[in-house]
Amino acid sequence: QVQLVESGGGLVQAGGSLRLSCAASGRTISGSRMGWFRQAPGKEREFVARLDWSGAPNYADSVKGRFTISRDNAKNTVYLQMNSLKPEDTAVYYCAVDVTVVLGKYVASTWGQGTQVTVSS
């Protein structure tokens, strides 16, 4: 019954920053494994960042040092702060809850609708 709604995407020049928000409703996400994924045109959806059960963050190598995932339990919202953006970051970004790995692939119970991020050079 949980619903996830992403926001904060848009157009930005290379080197700029954006903060994506994922607002959850229907149940608390404070103890849940949350993640951000992205899908570029013609590409498979790929892992970007996640919070494990303890709240510890993990990142894809391509975004380490540039992106930060965080959670505000009072607002039941997870964020993705994106700095030093590159054209290759252009994609639709998706939030997900109950993220886990099965047979080497990430799966989740619920996905958001996605928000477009476009980085110009």
Side-chain angles (χ1 to χ4, degrees):
Q1 71 279 13
V2 63
Q3 294 179 320
L4 304 174
V5 179
E6 300 98 332
S7 62
L11 298 170
V12 64
Q13 292 185 331
S17 298
L18 286 172
R19 189 181 77 159
L20 306 184
S21 298
C22 173
S25 60
R27 70 171 173 91
T28 181
I29 62 169
S30 62
S32 301
R33 297 183 298 274
M34 305 297 301
W36 286 96
F37 300 78
R38 66 188 183 187
Q39 188 168 22
K43 304 294 184 181
E44 295 292 321
R45 186 176 298 184
E46 68 173 344
F47 165 75
V48 175
R50 72 175 191 267
L51 295 171
D52 67 14
W53 186 87
S54 70
N58 291 279
Y59 301 96
D61 288 342
S62 60
V63 306
K64 284 182 180 177
R66 300 189 298 121
F67 291 10
T68 303
I69 185 171
S70 62
R71 175 166 48 200
D72 186 333
N73 290 330
K75 296 182 178 180
N76 213 36
T77 298
V78 64
Y79 303 96
L80 185 69
Q81 178 67 47
M82 306 185 295
N83 299 325
S84 302
L85 283 162
K86 305 174 181 179
E88 52 262 45
D89 294 319
T90 295
V92 177
Y93 283 71
Y94 298 90
C95 179
V97 65
D98 298 327
V99 175
T100 190
V101 182
V102 177
L103 298 177
K105 298 181 179 179
Y106 286 98
V107 298
S109 65
T110 304
W111 299 83
Q113 85 288 348
T115 185
Q116 176 71 49
V117 172
T118 303
V119 184
S120 62
S121 61

